């Protein structure tokens, strides 16, 4: 039998062990919060409307674990020099150091090259060619040591893809298949690369958060840690991200706020063309555009998209008009196709591919109200050839001319192009960069071009070889084309 002293000692020991276990359980207790996918706002309970950004049905449940404040700061093991406030006049301004990516289209969209210490996010649909674009780009950087972190594909899959790409002779390209953020930083410390590529950010996770990879909390914390590393070491990082079914980047909206540059790689998988757009760029313009052609051996840069986007065999066909469009500062000519037919059913159809459907409905209303063409009982189909999505309002004139040409079954004369924005009262409004549009039409051999009358002011007609036809209203444009 145990004595009273032994029993007391035993009870104290058991009590202390239970307290220690209780503290450990409390320290590692999971916490459930609801996070807004749009702005990252956290709430202890679910709400239909986010109080921070005002969006509806954006809260999702996440399981997190509270970490001590000290642990949060040293969680990723990145130590940097403490900064101190500086007077504005003491700060020395200079041009950003950029890395030539040996890709004219990518350099143009980035604003002249990849900035050192920047964090760039490239998003797009699955299978659109994001990994191929990045891989063939880093293979050309023979003077840089590149660390490619793959969280989706194995090293053998990357090797097979690289073998299909010509000129894949970068001996300093290192491949690591890893999804742990801590292990990624270990590889970076051992390799000391000049450029880091992470494919994709949705597969990376940190051990400090008890949540699955790709969740809002994981994407937010991993992106913040990678940004801290890029700014403190001056190493540029390229992130590859997915998009959801709504077309926006998967993960929290704060991901787009964290990174320096957001590039959208888009296109239709049924077409060969791919477009690289700049949505956000802290080191350049967001109006730039890069065009690629998808081939079996990778992506080819399209230096002159006008020649590829225009078909050469539309002579004698109605419903085709050529428009002079500008994306960013880059002009090119596109082919607008329209088909107008009698509605087979009671409700007429309206369909647009590559063009805003609401704007097309507005232009149809202008045709009916201001010009007198009755299209309310007819089906109207509109298509931008080549699978492009164009938002330039200067193609309004080509849209209504193509619709009218199909409705009358009369072709537009070969060698004629046009540019102009159509207002609600039927007037042709002036457009920007008219000189670049005219030069592009001249280069491709067009003989006549319809332009807004107000754009004729200030033009040097002696240098222009193409015949310019100024129009002020939609009726004038129709008389010039159809008599």
């Amino acid at each position: 039998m145990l004595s009273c002293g032994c029993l007391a000692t035993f009870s104290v020991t058991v009590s202390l062990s239970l307290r220690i276990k209780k503290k450990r359980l409390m320290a590692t207790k999971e916490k459930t919060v609801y996070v807004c996918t749009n702005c990252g706002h956290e709430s202890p309970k679910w709400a239909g409307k986010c109080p921070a950004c005002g969006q509806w049905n954006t809260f999702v449940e996440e399981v997190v674990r509270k970490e001590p404040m000290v642990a949060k700061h040293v969680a990723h093991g990145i130590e940097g020099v403490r900064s101190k406030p500086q007077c504005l006049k003491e700060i020395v301004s200079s041009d950003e150091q950029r890395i030539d990516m040996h890709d004219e289209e990518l350099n143009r969209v980035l604003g002249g090259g990849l900035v050192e210490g920047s964090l760039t996010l490239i998003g797009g649909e699955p299978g659109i060619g994001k990994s191929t674009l990045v891989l063939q780009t880093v293979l050309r950087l023979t003077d840089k040591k590149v660390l490619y972190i793959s969280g989706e594909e194995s090293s053998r899959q990357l090797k097979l893809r690289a073998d299909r790409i010509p000129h894949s002779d970068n001996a300093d390209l290192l491949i690591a298949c890893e999804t742990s953020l801590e292990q990624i930083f270990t590889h970076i410390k051992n390799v000391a690369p000049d450029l880091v590529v992470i494919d994709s950010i949705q597969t990376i996770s940190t051990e400090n958060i008890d949540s699955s990879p790709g969740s809002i909390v994981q994407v937010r914390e991993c992106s913040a840690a990678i940004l801290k590393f890029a700014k403190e070491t001056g190493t540029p990082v390229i992130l590859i991200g997915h998009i959801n079914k709504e077309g926006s980047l998967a993960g929290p909206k704060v991901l787009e706020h964290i990174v320096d540059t957001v590039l959208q790689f888009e296109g239709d998988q049924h077409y060969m063309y791919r477009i690289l757009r700049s949505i956000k760029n802290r080191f350049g313009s967001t109006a730039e555009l890069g065009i690629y052609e998808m081939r079996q051996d990778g992506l080819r840069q399209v230096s002159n998209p006008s020649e590829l986007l225009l078909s050469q065999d539309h002579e004698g066909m109605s419903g085709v008009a050529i428009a002079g469009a500008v994306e960013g500062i880059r002009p090119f000519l596109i082919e607008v196709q329209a088909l107008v037919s009698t509605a087979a059913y009671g409700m007429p159809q309206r369909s647009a591919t590559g063009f805003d459907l609401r704007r097309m409905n507005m232009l149809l209303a202008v045709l009916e109200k201001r010009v007198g063409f009755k299209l309310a009982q007819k089906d109207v189909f509109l298509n931008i050839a080549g699978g492009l999505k164009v938002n330039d309002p200067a193609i309004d004139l080509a849209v209504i001319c193509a619709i009218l040409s199909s409705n009358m079954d009369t072709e537009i004369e070969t060698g004629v192009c046009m540019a102009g924005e159509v207002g609600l009262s039927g007037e042709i409004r002036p457009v920007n960069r008219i000189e670049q549009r005219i030069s592009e039409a001249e280069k491709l051999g067009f003989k006549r071009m319809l332009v807004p009358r107000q754009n004729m002011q200030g033009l040097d007609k002696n240098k222009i070889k193409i015949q310019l036809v100024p129009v002020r209203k939609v009726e004038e444009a129709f008389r010039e084309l159809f008599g």
Side-chain angles (χ1 to χ4, degrees):
M1 294 182 63
L2 296 174
S3 61
C4 294
C6 292
L7 285 174
T9 305
F10 177 75
S11 63
V12 170
T13 304
V14 172
S15 177
L16 288 174
S17 63
L18 289 176
R19 289 180 181 177
I20 293 173
K21 288 182 179 180
K22 185 177 181 181
K23 288 183 178 180
R24 288 177 179 175
L25 289 173
M26 292 177 63
T28 59
K29 185 178 179 180
E30 293 182 347
K31 178 184 176 182
T32 301
V33 297
Y34 293 88
V35 185
C36 175
T37 57
N38 187 52
C39 64
H41 177 75
E42 295 184 3
S43 174
K45 60 181 181 179
W46 185 87
K49 182 179 180 181
C50 177
C53 63
Q55 296 293 322
W56 288 88
N57 299 326
T58 56
F59 276 102
V60 294
E61 185 179 5
E62 292 287 345
V63 179
V64 296
R65 184 180 65 193
K66 282 291 182 181
E67 293 289 332
M69 293 301 294
V70 178
K72 283 187 177 181
H73 291 295
V74 297
H76 306 293
I78 304 175
E79 297 180 0
V81 180
R82 297 287 183 180
S83 61
K84 62 179 182 179
Q86 288 181 288
C87 185
L88 180 62
K89 61 182 180 181
E90 296 177 357
I91 300 176
V92 179
S93 61
S94 59
D95 295 335
E96 299 287 347
Q97 297 293 327
R98 296 181 181 268
I99 299 175
D100 184 12
M101 306 302 289
H102 302 287
D103 187 327
E104 295 181 1
E105 302 293 313
L106 183 58
N107 283 337
R108 180 190 296 110
V109 177
L110 289 172
L114 188 64
V115 177
E116 296 183 355
S118 64
L119 186 60
T120 303
L121 175 64
I122 300 178
E125 296 179 356
I128 205 67
K130 305 182 298 296
S131 301
T132 302
L133 174 65
V134 176
L135 183 60
Q136 75 175 23
T137 301
V138 298
L139 284 172
R140 298 191 188 103
L141 302 177
T142 55
D143 56 341
K144 301 291 181 181
K145 181 184 290 187
V146 182
L147 177 60
Y148 193 105
I149 305 295
S150 176
E152 297 180 345
E153 297 179 308
S154 64
S155 56
R156 178 179 174 82
Q157 289 174 314
L158 290 173
K159 174 62 176 176
L160 292 174
R161 178 178 295 178
D163 290 340
R164 296 196 302 265
I165 300 174
H167 310 295
S168 56
D169 53 357
N170 188 358
D172 289 332
L173 176 60
L174 305 175
I175 305 295
C177 300
E178 188 61 62
T179 59
S180 173
L181 183 64
E182 288 75 18
Q183 292 297 323
I184 290 174
F185 283 131
T186 301
H187 291 314
I188 293 174
K189 183 178 180 181
N190 296 333
V191 174
D194 300 320
L195 172 64
V196 178
V197 178
I198 297 180
D199 182 12
S200 64
I201 185 60
Q202 279 81 16
T203 61
I204 307 302
S205 62
T206 175
E207 300 174 357
N208 298 313
I209 298 175
D210 290 337
S211 183
S212 60
S215 62
I216 295 175
V217 180
Q218 286 283 8
V219 172
R220 182 180 60 197
E221 295 299 325
C222 292
S223 303
I226 295 172
L227 176 68
K228 188 176 186 339
F229 155 76
K231 298 303 180 184
E232 292 182 352
T233 61
T235 304
V237 180
I238 297 177
L239 304 178
I240 299 178
H242 300 300
I243 63 174
N244 52 29
K245 59 182 180 181
E246 288 82 13
S248 58
L249 287 165
K253 196 69 175 179
V254 71
L255 174 62
E256 299 181 35
H257 300 309
I258 288 176
V259 300
D260 297 313
T261 306
V262 179
L263 304 180
Q264 188 84 10
F265 200 50
E266 60 187 35
D268 195 335
Q269 295 185 0
H270 301 289
Y271 292 92
M272 66 183 73
Y273 301 111
R274 301 289 185 267
I275 297 178
L276 186 65
R277 298 181 187 271
S278 176
I279 300 177
K280 171 189 175 183
N281 194 352
R282 290 174 179 166
F283 308 107
S285 173
T286 58
E288 292 296 344
L289 184 78
I291 300 179
Y292 294 87
E293 181 184 4
M294 175 62 78
R295 291 188 171 184
Q296 195 169 7
D297 57 351
L299 292 163
R300 185 185 71 87
Q301 305 175 43
V302 178
S303 58
N304 189 6
S306 299
E307 295 181 352
L308 297 177
L309 296 176
L310 297 179
S311 63
Q312 305 297 325
D313 54 354
H314 64 269
E315 185 176 356
M317 300 171 58
S318 63
V320 178
I322 308 300
V326 170
E327 286 287 339
I329 60 174
R330 187 174 189 178
F332 55 91
L333 300 184
I334 58 175
E335 182 178 311
V336 181
Q337 302 173 348
L339 176 62
V340 180
S341 62
T342 305
Y345 304 99
M347 183 66 67
Q349 301 182 56
R350 300 285 189 266
S351 176
T353 303
F355 190 74
D356 189 6
L357 181 60
R358 293 174 296 180
R359 191 164 188 87
M360 186 188 76
N361 290 329
M362 182 200 76
L363 295 175
L364 292 176
V366 171
L367 280 176
E368 188 162 345
K369 178 71 175 179
R370 304 297 181 186
V371 190
F373 289 95
K374 304 299 182 182
L375 301 173
Q377 299 301 323
K378 294 188 177 182
D379 295 336
V380 179
F381 304 95
L382 187 70
N383 178 47
I384 304 297
L388 295 180
K389 295 180 181 179
V390 183
N391 299 319
D392 189 2
I395 70 173
D396 288 351
L397 183 58
V399 169
I400 63 173
C401 290
I403 292 174
L404 186 59
S405 171
S406 178
N407 183 48
M408 300 171 57
D409 200 15
T410 304
E411 66 167 320
I412 297 176
E413 182 184 352
T414 305
V416 177
C417 62
M418 57 204 73
E421 179 184 355
V422 177
L424 291 179
S425 60
E427 80 277 11
I428 308 298
R429 301 177 59 84
V431 297
N432 61 346
R433 302 186 183 276
I434 189 64
E435 295 89 354
Q436 297 182 8
R437 303 175 197 264
I438 296 172
S439 300
E440 186 72 13
E442 285 183 352
K443 185 171 63 175
L444 294 177
F446 282 84
K447 301 176 182 178
R448 203 156 53 114
M449 184 173 183
L450 274 64
V451 296
R453 181 170 295 179
Q454 296 183 23
N455 278 124
M456 296 296 294
Q457 301 176 1
L459 286 178
D460 190 359
K461 300 179 182 179
N462 297 325
K463 297 182 179 180
I464 299 175
K465 300 178 182 179
I466 189 174
Q467 179 186 356
L468 298 180
V469 180
V471 290
R472 189 173 65 91
K473 288 187 177 183
V474 175
E475 298 92 328
E476 298 179 15
F478 292 161
R479 283 196 296 268
E480 289 290 339
L481 294 176
F482 307 106

